[in-house]
Amino acid sequence: MENIKSQSRRDFLKSSAIAGGGLMLSFSWFSDAKAADKMAQLNLAETWSELASYIKITPDNVVKILCPNPEFGQNVMTSLPMMVAEELDVDWKNVVVEMGTHDNVKYGPQFTGGSNSVRMYWKPLRNAGATARQMLIEAAAQTWSVPASEITTKAGVLSHSSGKSAKYGEMSIKAATIAVPKDVKLKSPKDFSIVRNSKKNSEGTKVVTGKPLFGIDYKVDGMLIAMIQHPPAFGMKLKSFDATAAKKMAGIKDIFSFKLYDDGFEQGGFDTRTFNEMIAIVGKSTWEVMNARKKIVAQWEPISETKETISGFGGRKTVNNIPARLETTAKQFELMAEMSKKPANQIRKDGDPETAFKNATQIIERTYNAPFLAHNTMEPMNFFAHVQDDKALVAGPLQAPGWMEPTLAKLLNLPADKIEIQMTRMGGGFGRRAYGSYVYEAARISQKMKAPVKLIYTREDDMTYGIYRPMYTATYRAALDANKNLIGFHVTGGGIPENPIHANRFPAGAVDNYLADGWEIPSNITIGAFRAPRSNFNAAAEQSFLDEVAEAMGKDPIEMRLELLKKAKANPVGKNNDYDASRYIGVLELLKEKSGWGKPENAGKKRGVAAYFCHASYAGHVVDMVIRDGQPYVEHVTSAVDCGVVVNPDAARNMVQGAVVDGIGNSFYGGLTHKDGVSEQNNFHNYRMIRHNEAPQKIDVHFVENDIDPTGLGEPPFPPVFGAVANALFKTTGKRYYNQPFTAEQPKS
């Protein structure tokens, strides 16, 4: 049992603050609606008793658990409440889950991203449940005049050896008056009855029956629709415009230009925006606004080179250089190739890699490239705002409400406590909705119109706006001695506008002579987090390269990785290795076992393997590929993951399966290019996504069983898919692939 010291109610709530494609649906996730039906029959305003702020219980024994983090399909609205319910000791069928409103004091930034939700709320939410349970016990003890230590709980019922018993609801009102306990005990994992047992998606029925859950569904009386017209190319800005004809069209209320940030505005870490001055078109309906936008005559001009100050986390400030040029993808790859030949910034060095390469009998060198990627959330970008003189309401799909609130307060000149942020379900995020520019645009337009406004992006607006996954390149070199031993390893990587290198990850720590360095090229094309930032490229390049090294060494790809990891475990090189070699080994061994790797019955299969560590978790895949209709097709995937305690197994499997489909699609097809600053892809007719019939026939998912506190899951399974696909392609076609997407021509390295 774990003893956790409790603080005041306010401090307890603060402790919670430390706490985010392809498509695959498994039709096993529909929620039992009985508790929700029961809730609808109650007079909620008068019957809820609040305990520990995450939990509300009615006298009729319905338990409402508030989910603090926004939901975009990773199932936090089920998994996070499960953690509360486990420690509260309630019957899950009596639980109702509701999205909590934004509250910095109670819930902190409520950030969904970085595979943090379960990991960061594991202790706080369990603590909330255990605290509420103890308060109910104390209420029963006082009511029955018995020691609290003699009262037990099970499935929402309090019991005493005297025969007295009561449902939680009967004690809920009194329990709400009990002082917060000084310490509570958390269950041992061996005693879990809800956690580690699959629970149906708490919103599944609502999703598949089309209930209005998403931001695009949000509406209020008198709401206007807004769209924006941004410059047609990166590196351009608004010069002037004529909206005379457009303003005369039916339903149009106003057309005006506006600046998102005033001159000298210091942006926060998630305030990235591409175009600062845009044209807003506001009217009664989406159709009327779209048609009016076509009638605007705008003139654009080149930007000047500028610098922007970004205030990041921990008070760190960075200055970004924004060059004045119209960028073209082919030229960008040429610049990266030139830059990769120049001396780079050393990030890590172990031993004497220069001498190792000088003395090597064989040197293997390969370069890998990847383009920009667009997030392409299924639900178009949108947000609602109603800004009044003394307050504001904003509502919609967003990943980081706590980090957007301070910027909204500054832009609107309102106190933060006068801004209400309502979070809707998101139709995808993948990092795109962590950046608040679209929220601020909606608020600016509403403030100007003095009316409630919903801002909507078309697919073309979003795909040509920016905030992409960066362009990357990396050159890997391996030095082998006369006995085919790996004696040196060097990786140098760069990108536009950031480098991808994680210098302290495997194989760092497993090679005596190791060097990692990096560089960047500034750009006016904006970038942002994209499912497993940097790792989604690193894993593709690193894991492809390791397969080539294993081949040169005459070793099996999995065995070669295991040998290196066992060395890192027994005698690690360096002190900053950020992975646990034992957990890494465990995933590879489980993957080998479950895939039947090396078994005679699988000898004829064309298989690729890759494993990677990121976001505190370990994931690996074996991809089985065939040629179907003349094209490579991933027929079957075996996945192994170590993410600690798996809270909701069905949801976890779904997430891994989704990551696999997403990874296959992006590795084969993902890519966004530019010509003179103009995005050459602007919708799904020319930005290729994986299709249903291209998804694997089967994806088997296996988890390493342990009692380690949960680590990340939304992102870790995604990066190694790229490497596994590349390695399977070699086995299937006899050709190595170095440039993404694999099915399109890329500039040669």
Side-chain angles (χ1 to χ4, degrees):
M1 306 286 266
E2 292 183 68
N3 289 307
I4 293 188
K5 182 179 180 182
S6 289
Q7 304 86 19
S8 68
R9 182 178 296 272
R10 183 176 179 86
D11 285 338
F12 168 70
L13 295 169
K14 278 184 178 179
S15 75
S16 304
I18 61 171
L23 174 67
M24 175 169 286
L25 295 177
S26 294
F27 294 100
S28 61
W29 61 313
F30 298 98
S31 177
D32 188 335
K34 291 180 180 177
D37 293 341
K38 197 169 186 179
M39 182 184 75
Q41 300 168 7
L42 300 172
N43 183 349
L44 302 183
E46 297 169 359
T47 57
W48 288 114
S49 295
E50 185 170 329
L51 302 175
S53 290
Y54 291 107
I55 303 158
K56 295 180 180 180
I57 302 175
T58 68
D60 202 24
N61 222 41
V62 175
V63 179
K64 179 194 287 185
I65 298 178
L66 299 182
C67 176
N69 276 25
E71 170 72 71
F72 58 39
Q74 78 284 41
N75 215 18
V76 292
M77 282 195 69
T78 306
S79 298
L80 295 186
M82 284 174 66
M83 287 146 49
V84 179
E86 179 65 69
E87 298 292 345
L88 183 58
D89 201 5
V90 293
D91 190 333
W92 182 254
K93 73 175 185 291
N94 291 328
V95 171
V96 174
V97 178
E98 184 176 286
M99 183 67 241
T101 58
H102 172 62
D103 190 319
N104 259 339
V105 175
K106 288 184 177 181
Y107 309 120
Q110 295 171 266
F111 175 53
T112 293
S115 300
N116 270 326
S117 294
V118 169
R119 176 167 40 145
M120 299 307 290
Y121 278 104
W122 175 244
K123 291 291 178 65
L125 287 182
R126 291 173 64 208
N127 198 7
T131 298
R133 174 178 171 274
Q134 188 60 36
M135 293 163 73
L136 288 160
I137 288 173
E138 293 290 345
Q142 292 180 21
T143 301
W144 298 336
S145 299
V146 299
S149 60
E150 295 179 1
I151 296 175
T152 59
T153 63
K154 185 176 182 180
V157 176
L158 298 143
S159 301
H160 184 257
S161 57
S162 63
K164 294 178 179 179
S165 67
K167 295 180 179 179
Y168 281 0
E170 298 173 57
M171 294 293 173
S172 61
I173 294 175
K174 184 174 182 61
T177 68
I178 300 292
V180 176
K182 291 184 178 180
D183 61 83
V184 293
K185 292 181 178 179
L186 299 184
K187 290 183 179 180
S188 168
K190 66 180 178 60
D191 296 323
F192 289 158
S193 60
I194 294 176
V195 167
R196 282 183 161 161
N197 291 279
S198 294
K199 301 300 178 185
K200 297 179 186 296
N201 188 302
S202 64
E203 290 200 307
T205 301
K206 296 176 185 177
V207 171
V208 299
T209 56
K211 301 299 182 185
L213 303 173
F214 299 89
I216 203 74
D217 299 320
Y218 195 95
K219 63 178 69 174
V220 300
D221 291 340
M223 183 181 77
L224 300 174
I225 297 296
M227 287 186 169
I228 57 172
Q229 182 66 53
H230 63 65
F234 298 95
M236 300 293 285
K237 65 178 182 178
L238 179 65
K239 182 178 181 181
S240 62
F241 72 98
D242 181 357
T244 304
K247 285 184 176 182
K248 294 177 181 178
M249 295 179 71
I252 299 306
K253 294 296 185 180
D254 200 0
I255 299 175
F256 56 90
S257 64
F258 71 101
K259 284 187 176 182
L260 186 60
Y261 302 141
D262 296 330
D263 293 342
F265 182 84
E266 189 172 284
Q267 300 175 42
F270 281 86
D271 291 344
T272 303
R273 61 90 180 87
T274 303
F275 306 106
N276 196 53
E277 187 171 9
M278 293 157 285
I279 303 168
I281 306 95
V282 187
K284 292 182 178 179
S285 73
T286 305
W287 182 246
E288 290 169 324
V289 169
M290 289 177 70
N291 284 325
R293 183 167 67 166
K294 297 175 184 177
K295 297 296 184 181
I296 296 172
V297 179
Q299 288 78 43
W300 315 94
E301 61 183 352
I303 65 171
S304 301
E305 185 168 328
T306 58
K307 295 181 184 295
E308 292 185 340
T309 301
I310 310 295
S311 180
F313 301 109
R316 294 172 297 171
K317 294 185 179 181
T318 58
V319 177
N320 290 344
N321 295 316
I322 313 299
R325 60 173 179 253
L326 301 178
E327 304 192 30
T328 296
T329 298
K331 180 62 176 177
Q332 289 171 321
F333 276 116
E334 290 176 7
L335 288 173
M336 291 200 301
E338 292 172 7
M339 195 71 174
S340 65
K341 297 174 184 177
K342 299 178 181 179
N345 298 316
Q346 182 176 298
I347 306 173
R348 171 170 171 157
K349 183 178 180 180
D350 296 322
D352 187 355
E354 293 85 0
T355 300
F357 278 93
K358 181 180 178 180
N359 296 334
T361 301
Q362 181 181 0
I363 295 176
I364 306 158
E365 180 174 329
R366 302 290 185 267
T367 296
Y368 303 84
N369 296 303
F372 287 115
L373 292 178
H375 291 83
N376 292 330
T377 58
M378 186 64 70
E379 177 190 15
M381 302 299 291
N382 68 89
F383 219 79
F384 169 86
H386 188 190
V387 180
Q388 302 177 62
D389 291 340
D390 59 345
K391 62 181 179 179
L393 166 65
V394 297
L398 75 171
Q399 292 180 235
W403 293 330
M404 296 176 189
E405 184 183 73
T407 300
L408 277 170
K410 287 192 289 185
L411 292 176
L412 301 177
N413 196 27
L414 287 172
D417 63 1
K418 296 298 182 182
I419 299 174
E420 180 182 354
I421 301 177
Q422 294 182 4
M423 298 172 290
T424 63
R425 188 180 182 93
M426 290 176 274
F430 317 112
R432 178 64 181 91
R433 288 189 160 106
Y435 300 90
S437 56
Y438 65 108
V439 179
Y440 314 147
E441 290 164 2
R444 286 287 209 191
I445 295 169
S446 173
Q447 190 175 46
K448 167 75 173 177
M449 295 299 299
K450 299 185 183 301
V453 169
K454 182 195 285 184
L455 172 68
I456 299 175
Y457 282 22
T458 63
R459 180 65 62 192
E460 291 83 355
D461 291 334
D462 181 36
M463 205 176 290
T464 60
Y465 185 92
I467 313 186
Y468 306 127
R469 196 282 301 272
M471 292 180 69
Y472 289 128
T473 187
T475 297
Y476 285 78
R477 300 169 68 228
L480 305 184
D481 66 14
N483 295 318
K484 303 292 186 180
N485 296 311
L486 179 61
I487 59 172
F489 196 94
H490 177 205
V491 55
T492 180
I496 299 176
E498 70 171 18
N499 88 68
I501 302 302
H502 287 291
N504 296 322
R505 292 190 182 168
F506 179 77
V511 183
D512 292 333
N513 304 296
Y514 175 88
L515 178 63
D517 42 36
W519 47 267
E520 301 90 21
I521 298 174
S523 174
N524 54 46
I525 299 175
T526 51
I527 56 100
F530 186 104
R531 195 173 194 172
R534 300 194 290 165
S535 297
N536 54 53
F537 170 74
N538 285 336
E542 168 203 291
Q543 292 294 306
S544 297
F545 184 66
L546 287 177
D547 255 39
E548 288 208 54
V549 174
E551 184 180 37
M553 296 171 71
K555 294 185 176 181
D556 174 83
I558 290 183
E559 292 305 318
M560 177 263 204
R561 288 168 171 82
L562 286 171
E563 285 180 16
L564 289 174
L565 285 163
K566 288 173 182 177
K567 177 180 177 181
K569 177 182 177 181
N571 188 24
V573 179
K575 298 180 180 179
N576 298 317
N577 307 320
D578 60 4
Y579 60 93
D580 182 330
S582 296
R583 295 181 70 186
Y584 217 140
I585 291 168
V587 161
L588 277 169
E589 290 180 338
L590 180 63
L591 186 61
K592 180 180 178 180
E593 173 196 344
K594 297 299 183 181
S595 68
W597 184 271
K599 298 290 186 181
E601 60 268 28
N602 294 318
K605 293 182 178 179
K606 308 301 183 183
R607 322 189 89 179
V609 64
Y612 195 72
F613 159 81
C614 71
H615 296 83
S617 290
Y618 305 77
H621 309 287
V622 168
V623 164
D624 293 343
M625 188 176 289
V626 298
I627 296 296
R628 187 183 71 175
D629 299 328
Q631 298 296 320
Y633 166 64
V634 176
E635 187 173 58
H636 179 250
V637 179
T638 305
S639 304
V641 180
D642 181 353
C643 59
V645 172
V646 178
V647 175
N648 190 356
D650 276 355
R653 277 188 288 271
N654 289 344
M655 195 156 0
V656 176
Q657 291 167 339
V660 168
V661 176
D662 193 7
I664 294 170
N666 276 290
S667 63
F668 273 132
Y669 310 116
L672 191 138
T673 59
H674 298 88
K675 176 71 173 177
D676 295 328
V678 178
S679 300
E680 294 185 295
Q681 296 78 28
N682 62 7
N683 208 319
F684 295 134
H685 70 288
N686 55 10
Y687 191 106
R688 181 78 155 80
M689 303 289 287
I690 191 170
R691 294 164 184 167
H692 286 181
N693 69 336
E694 294 166 337
Q697 293 180 14
K698 190 175 184 182
I699 302 172
D700 291 317
V701 181
H702 307 275
F703 294 98
V704 175
E705 295 183 7
N706 57 45
D707 292 338
I708 297 171
D709 286 355
T711 48
L713 186 58
E715 287 156 293
F718 181 61
V721 177
F722 292 76
V725 167
N727 293 329
L729 275 168
F730 171 67
K731 294 295 185 181
T732 304
T733 68
K735 175 185 175 182
R736 294 284 182 185
Y737 286 75
Y738 302 103
N739 302 302
Q740 296 175 32
F742 298 140
T743 55
E745 283 190 9
Q746 289 284 322
K748 294 184 183 297
S749 58

